[in-house]
Amino acid sequence: MARRIHPVNGAAAQAPATIQAPTGELPRAGGGTTNRGSAEPGPPKASPTAEPAPAHPCGVDATARIRATHNGRTTTVPLLHNDGPFHLRRLRARGEQARVCVLGAMSAPLGGDRLTLDITAGTRARLEVTTAAATIALRGSTTAPATYDVRIGVGEHASLHWLPEPLISTRGSTLHQTFDVDLAATSRLLMREEQLLGRSGEPPGHLTTRLTVRRDGRPLLDQHTSYGDPAPAWDGPAVLGSHRATGQLLLVGPEPGAHQGPRVIGDEPAKGHAVLTPLADTQALVATAVAPTPALLRHLLDTALAYVYETPVPEDAVAARAGAARSALL
């Protein structure tokens, strides 16, 4: 069964011809491996956190790029380079903040895929990047692992909000995801990542994530997580226990963290809980949460963000306060 190209913004997108795959493998829309050239001259930037995995014959090799700059009045996005499953769309700006949504043009990541999303916010730029739907890691026609690398660069006096929908790890899938973040000394970052381990009633695949953050050239955070077999004790009481949704919120900027101490959020263990704590750099905070469902996980992370700038608020006002806190970062 070929990957399907979905219509975008109401326009009819025509699926390319399917090329017959070898016996025992699923054909890929467009046929074979996708390896399009970069929109910019020079070799692609290599991730310092891991050696690239060899491409599988049925895997998609794709790199999408987003560049935001400030023209003296507002933020513009002069470069949106689509590739493979990444279809990038500009959204309505919010004040001086430009907004980009990542749409899925095909099912991804599948086994053997090598996907990269490269995001840069130049000096004084204000950028928010979201996704239209959850990212679903699937096995595909091979048991080979897939890789998904997100590279983020934020310049002086710039801010970036990376707020995607959750990543879902399905039965039989293997995905290695990395986040490589370079921040200038005066930049701001709001970064949320959420994982759902397995769909309803199914065990998860094997999911590893590595988050590496540097600020002004110095290490700020280097974190590695691993879930699903063969990772040991990932569902034990010291890690997730009975919960299957996990995530974190990273906040870096000149103001946050200066007067914040550790705080536990959530007093009902069955509904999950989060811990908000400063890092060694007093201008950085991280909230880590576990919950039984994605909705409860998002609530915990929004509550943590509201605590950074606001006093505790009723549950029905958490989302609004979290939105106000995000606006304060601009």
Side-chain angles (χ1 to χ4, degrees):
M1 179 177 179
R3 294 190 181 184
R4 297 181 58 192
I5 309 298
H6 301 288
V8 178
N9 293 340
Q14 184 177 0
T18 300
I19 294 179
Q20 183 65 38
T23 302
E25 294 187 351
L26 293 178
R28 306 290 287 252
T33 300
T34 299
N35 190 358
R36 300 192 179 101
S38 168
E40 297 178 339
K45 177 181 175 184
S47 172
T49 57
E51 290 295 327
H56 190 274
C58 286
V60 169
D61 192 344
T63 299
R65 292 181 172 84
I66 302 172
R67 298 286 185 274
T69 62
H70 196 273
N71 63 8
R73 296 180 298 104
T74 189
T75 299
T76 63
V77 186
L79 174 63
L80 288 181
H81 174 66
N82 303 313
D83 198 4
F86 298 112
H87 204 101
L88 310 175
R89 280 290 179 265
R90 294 176 179 86
L91 302 179
R92 184 184 298 275
R94 185 181 291 122
E96 290 190 15
Q97 185 186 53
R99 300 167 64 222
V100 174
C101 183
V102 182
L103 305 175
M106 62 178 73
S107 298
L110 272 65
D113 287 354
R114 293 173 57 189
L115 309 178
T116 302
L117 181 59
D118 197 321
I119 306 169
T120 301
T123 302
R124 299 189 180 279
R126 305 286 187 267
L127 178 64
E128 177 180 289
V129 182
T130 63
T131 61
T135 299
I136 305 178
L138 300 166
R139 174 181 171 179
S141 60
T142 173
T143 58
T147 63
Y148 182 10
D149 301 321
V150 179
R151 305 169 186 162
I152 295 174
V154 188
E156 296 289 348
H157 304 287
S159 74
L160 176 70
H161 294 181
W162 168 246
L163 303 172
E165 294 302 310
L167 168 67
I168 303 174
S169 174
T170 66
R171 182 203 301 263
S173 65
T174 300
L175 176 64
H176 303 311
Q177 185 173 39
T178 65
F179 298 91
D180 187 49
V181 183
D182 273 300
L183 305 175
T186 56
S187 62
R188 290 179 171 88
L189 174 71
L190 175 61
M191 182 177 184
R192 182 184 70 214
E193 58 165 330
E194 301 167 323
Q195 294 96 29
L196 178 60
L197 304 177
R199 292 169 293 194
S200 178
E202 77 169 1
H206 182 50
L207 172 65
T208 67
T209 67
R210 182 163 185 183
L211 172 61
T212 305
V213 183
R214 292 173 295 276
R215 191 177 191 201
D216 197 21
R218 294 175 297 179
L220 176 67
L221 178 64
D222 192 353
Q223 175 181 284
H224 181 268
T225 59
S226 183
Y227 304 111
D229 292 335
W234 64 273
D235 55 351
V239 187
L240 295 185
S242 61
H243 299 304
R244 288 299 176 267
T246 181
Q248 65 180 12
L249 191 76
L250 176 64
L251 184 62
V252 183
E255 299 88 4
H259 306 289
Q260 296 287 330
R263 182 187 295 270
V264 177
I265 299 169
D267 53 5
E268 298 183 51
K271 293 185 177 180
H273 53 272
V275 177
L276 175 66
T277 184
L279 298 177
D281 184 332
T282 57
Q283 295 179 342
L285 290 165
V286 64
T288 303
V290 295
T293 67
L296 289 172
L297 177 70
R298 179 69 60 86
H299 176 78
L300 289 169
L301 295 178
D302 282 346
T303 302
L305 182 60
Y307 268 124
V308 174
Y309 292 101
E310 306 284 345
T311 56
V313 293
E315 286 195 5
D316 57 356
V318 166
R321 288 295 179 90
R326 287 193 292 269
S327 298
L329 289 171
L330 295 176

